[in-house]
């Protein structure tokens, strides 16, 4: 448990201590010439870049052992240039492993900052990724969209004054929110812009495969965009750019308008249910949910057909 806390929420002193331990651990296994460097990302995860004596660079982080094994198998099975191979997987402690992957250079680019060429590259790489995934790669259950809808309805039932603010979500017809088992395919499950890298106009890497799950065909890329509408605090100019990139993704991918609408509604219900559960006794939270949902209604309005 100590290691898990260091990975996610440790203070600077704890991170410094972990770095010293990690460097000694890796030098013992990969050679005294190894140089370890903290690697800053926009994520809160503790990750490193290791440089070996021969010049090879590795991406290093702590991972639950079962996820590390899954990542190694997945990378070998997919055999895609933008999915990093696992070079080493060392037991650490508490059911945690040190995973060392090949270094893939690139930068995170949020959808509203992507060029048209980058957007095309992302759509193409995602299609290759999904075509290579198989049911046995899935490790998580699908999102409980029916349960999230019931959370919204139940909240309105308990707080009648909140119902008007939730009416657009409650009014979603079954065919706009129901997800049948046979409609799902294996997908990334957490595909936001911190999970892929660009090098120039090309996709350099897809990252973090510990949550492969059944998704709707358009769900991963809908999430990549929806998360920016919902969380991005974007200027008007950036919103227009995000609209353009979303329209481009819809044009370049083979998903029907109904697929996109249902995928967006999956996240409308998920985001609403999370907030309502967190403040279950406070009727006023429904107003916050309604305001935040407007961003995804804007996204929904861009789906034609």
């Amino acid at each position: 448990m100590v290691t898990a806390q260091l990975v996610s929420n440790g203070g600077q002193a704890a991170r410094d201590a972990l770095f010293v331990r990690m460097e000694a651990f890796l030098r013992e296994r990969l050679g005294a010439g190894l140089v370890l460097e903290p690697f800053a990302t926009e994520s809160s995860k503790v990750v490193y870049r290791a440089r070996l004596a021969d010049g090879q660079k590795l991406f290093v982080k702590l991972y639950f052992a079962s996820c590390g094994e899954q990542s190694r198998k997945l990378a070998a099975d997919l055999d895609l240039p933008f999915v990093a191979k696992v070079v080493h997987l060392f037991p650490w402690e508490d059911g945690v492993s040190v995973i060392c992957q090949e270094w893939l250079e690139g930068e995170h680019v949020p959808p509203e900052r992507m060029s048209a060429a980058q957007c095309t590259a992302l759509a193409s790489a995602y299609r290759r990724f999904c075509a290579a995934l198989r049911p046995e790669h899935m490790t998580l259950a699908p999102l409980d969209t029916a349960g999230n809808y019931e959370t919204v309805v139940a909240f309105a039932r308990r707080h009648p004054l909140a119902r008007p603010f939730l009416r657009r979500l409650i009014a979603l017809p079954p065919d706009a929110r129901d997800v049948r088992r046979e409609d799902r395919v294996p997908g990334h499950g957490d595909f936001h812009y911190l999970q892929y890298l660009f090098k120039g106009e090309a996709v350099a890497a897809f990252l973090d495969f510990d949550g492969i799950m059944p998704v709707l065909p358009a769900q991963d890329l809908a999430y990549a965009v929806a998360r920016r509408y919902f969380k991005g605090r974007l200027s008007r100019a950036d919103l227009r750019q995000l609209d353009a990139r979303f329209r481009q993704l819809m044009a370049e991918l083979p998903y029907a308008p109904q697929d996109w609408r249902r995928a967006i509604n999956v996240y409308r219900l998920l985001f609403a249910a999370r907030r309502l559960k967190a403040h279950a006794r406070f009727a006023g939270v429904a107003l916050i949910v309604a305001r935040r949902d407007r961003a995804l209604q804007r996204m929904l309005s861009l789906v034609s057909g």
Side-chain angles (χ1 to χ4, degrees):
M1 293 299 294
V2 173
T3 297
Q5 291 168 1
L6 284 170
V7 171
S8 58
N9 299 314
Q12 190 57 50
R15 288 173 180 247
D16 291 345
L18 178 61
F19 174 83
V20 172
R21 288 182 62 202
M22 180 66 70
E23 186 172 54
F25 178 89
L26 290 174
R27 283 178 174 174
E28 188 176 308
R29 287 155 181 80
L30 299 177
L34 176 143
V35 175
L36 193 66
E37 304 168 342
F39 184 66
T41 72
E42 296 180 53
S43 167
S44 62
K45 295 177 181 176
V46 178
V47 297
Y48 307 100
R49 175 170 48 206
R51 297 178 185 269
L52 305 187
D54 63 2
Q56 182 185 15
K57 291 188 289 187
L58 298 173
F59 178 84
V60 178
K61 69 176 177 177
L62 287 168
Y63 224 23
F64 289 110
S66 59
C67 294
E69 290 290 351
Q70 173 69 12
S71 289
R72 177 153 60 183
K73 181 180 186 305
L74 184 73
D77 287 351
L78 299 188
D79 194 25
L80 294 169
F82 50 84
V83 174
K85 300 294 188 294
V86 176
V87 183
H88 303 288
L89 190 63
F90 300 121
W92 176 259
E93 60 185 32
D94 299 333
V96 172
S97 293
V98 177
I99 187 170
C100 303
Q101 296 170 285
E102 63 179 332
W103 185 266
L104 297 177
E105 197 78 41
E107 63 175 332
H108 298 298
V109 182
E112 71 277 8
R113 299 293 184 186
M114 288 191 303
S115 67
Q118 287 174 327
C119 190
T120 294
L122 181 64
S124 175
Y126 183 78
R127 290 185 70 175
R128 291 178 65 189
F129 173 71
C130 282
L133 284 176
R134 301 196 298 269
E136 58 265 31
H137 293 140
M138 295 188 291
T139 57
L140 295 183
L143 296 177
D144 183 10
T145 302
N148 290 333
Y149 179 76
E150 182 52 38
T151 294
V152 176
V153 171
F155 187 94
R157 194 180 299 127
R158 291 194 308 274
H159 303 287
L161 292 178
R163 188 177 183 89
F165 300 108
L166 301 175
R167 62 183 178 80
R168 286 181 176 271
L169 293 168
I170 294 170
L172 286 172
D175 65 349
R177 55 181 164 81
D178 286 352
V179 181
R180 300 176 303 174
R181 184 174 184 177
E182 58 268 28
D183 292 341
R184 296 187 176 113
V185 297
H188 186 282
D190 189 29
F191 198 68
H192 54 81
Y193 81 94
L194 297 179
Q195 303 288 37
Y196 49 86
L197 299 173
F198 287 100
K199 188 172 184 180
E201 304 288 16
V203 170
F206 282 2
L207 308 172
D208 286 352
F209 305 110
D210 53 338
I212 303 296
M213 65 168 67
V215 298
L216 287 167
Q219 189 172 321
D220 275 339
L221 285 167
Y223 180 58
V225 179
R227 199 170 181 266
R228 297 303 293 161
Y229 279 111
F230 191 75
K231 286 184 150 187
R233 300 180 183 273
L234 304 178
S235 67
R236 290 183 180 179
D238 281 345
L239 270 175
R240 288 194 294 271
Q241 283 296 105
L242 187 57
D243 291 346
R245 295 289 79 85
F246 179 47
R247 288 191 181 99
Q248 183 181 349
L249 283 172
M250 288 191 289
E252 296 198 8
L253 289 158
Y255 311 135
Q258 178 67 4
D259 291 333
W260 288 106
R261 278 193 289 270
R262 281 198 300 165
I264 295 166
N265 287 332
V266 161
Y267 289 111
R268 291 178 67 199
L269 291 168
L270 174 66
F271 297 157
R274 281 179 177 171
R275 181 60 67 96
L276 296 175
K277 283 180 181 177
H279 305 278
R281 297 184 179 181
F282 176 47
V285 74
L287 176 59
I288 298 171
V289 167
R291 286 175 177 167
R292 299 297 298 274
D293 187 56
R294 285 178 197 154
L296 299 188
Q297 291 175 36
R298 175 191 179 107
M299 183 179 176
L300 203 60
S301 72
L302 300 177
V303 183
S304 61

